Amino acid sequence: MLHQSRGNLTKAEESFTEALAAYPNIDESLGRGNAFYLLGETYQAQSNYAQAEEAFNQALTIFTAIGDSLGRGNAFKGLGYLHQEQFNHSNAEEHFNQALDIFTSIAHSRGRADAFEGLGTTHLARANYPGAEEAFNQALAIYTAIGESWGRTNALIGLGEALLRQGRYSEAKSLLHDAAEVSNHIGYKWAQDRSGELLAEVSETEESTTEAGP
């Protein structure tokens, strides 16, 4: 993950490929599964979607074979994000639901929150705003309980947008102000920009509605 965090994706790919070569035996299956998973993330960051899907599926096969539920959940979640990024929303929803089932069965809070957040984003993209609201509410509750500020900010923004699309401007504005405050505190640039865009949209819509009134 060090190379990924520095944006040096080529070196990250080389590192994970070397790791795979270092785990040739069945006894090292967990290491191979993790290496395939990280390689999938790296390929996805390079927009190399076909190889990313292959790597995630390799990881899933290994984790399934050795009975690693956490690994299986992460692999399904990775596939969900991958399909979401390619606008394959039906496949994304299916994989996030599979991840959610696994994370729920092993009581893995962070995994559950991530799966709910992924489902919320997928529902939002498909204009299923009540479904998005429900999923983001679940994600927000878990992220808040475990003290995960970045995830909480994403959930606040997603929930705010879901409410905005349903015409619930006051509720949306309150959540988006919270998101802006948290994102400013933790230095989360995307969330700062997105919360600002949505707050501007709320204000513009409210003004238009007022002007069009009797």
Side-chain angles (χ1 to χ4, degrees), residues 18-199:
E18 289 170 5
L20 284 169
Y23 296 124
N25 302 317
I26 188 65
D27 292 338
E28 300 295 344
S29 292
L30 179 60
R32 286 180 60 79
N34 286 330
F36 271 121
Y37 175 79
L38 293 172
L39 190 59
E41 286 192 324
T42 303
Y43 283 137
Q44 182 175 349
Q46 296 171 325
S47 299
N48 191 341
Y49 299 127
Q51 286 187 276
E53 184 169 5
E54 181 180 352
F56 283 133
N57 278 321
Q58 290 275 14
L60 179 59
T61 298
I62 293 171
F63 289 136
T64 300
I66 64 176
D68 186 331
S69 295
L70 178 58
R72 287 183 66 231
N74 283 329
F76 277 125
K77 183 178 70 172
L79 285 164
Y81 287 133
L82 180 65
H83 286 293
Q84 187 178 76
E85 193 169 315
Q86 298 174 86
F87 307 103
N88 297 327
H89 301 306
S90 179
N91 287 339
E93 182 177 356
E94 178 183 350
H95 286 105
F96 284 132
N97 274 319
Q98 288 171 303
L100 179 60
D101 287 343
I102 293 169
F103 289 134
T104 299
S105 73
I106 61 175
H108 193 276
S109 296
R110 173 60 189 269
R112 291 183 69 238
D114 289 345
F116 274 125
E117 194 271 335
L119 283 168
T121 302
T122 299
H123 290 317
L124 200 59
R126 301 174 85 175
N128 178 5
Y129 303 128
E133 179 185 353
E134 180 180 355
F136 283 127
N137 264 320
Q138 293 277 10
L140 179 59
I142 299 171
Y143 283 133
T144 301
I146 64 177
E148 215 299 298
S149 297
W150 287 62
R152 179 169 174 255
T153 306
N154 288 336
L156 283 167
I157 290 174
L159 182 56
E161 183 169 0
L163 295 176
L164 167 60
R165 304 302 171 216
Q166 295 177 80
R168 293 156 62 184
Y169 305 124
S170 178
E171 295 171 81
K173 185 185 294 186
S174 176
L175 290 165
L176 293 168
H177 276 303
D178 288 346
E181 183 177 342
V182 176
S183 62
N184 286 333
H185 179 71
I186 64 177
Y188 186 2
K189 181 68 164 57
W190 175 85
Q192 291 172 323
D193 292 343
R194 186 58 180 156
S195 58
E197 291 169 0
L198 290 170
L199 280 168

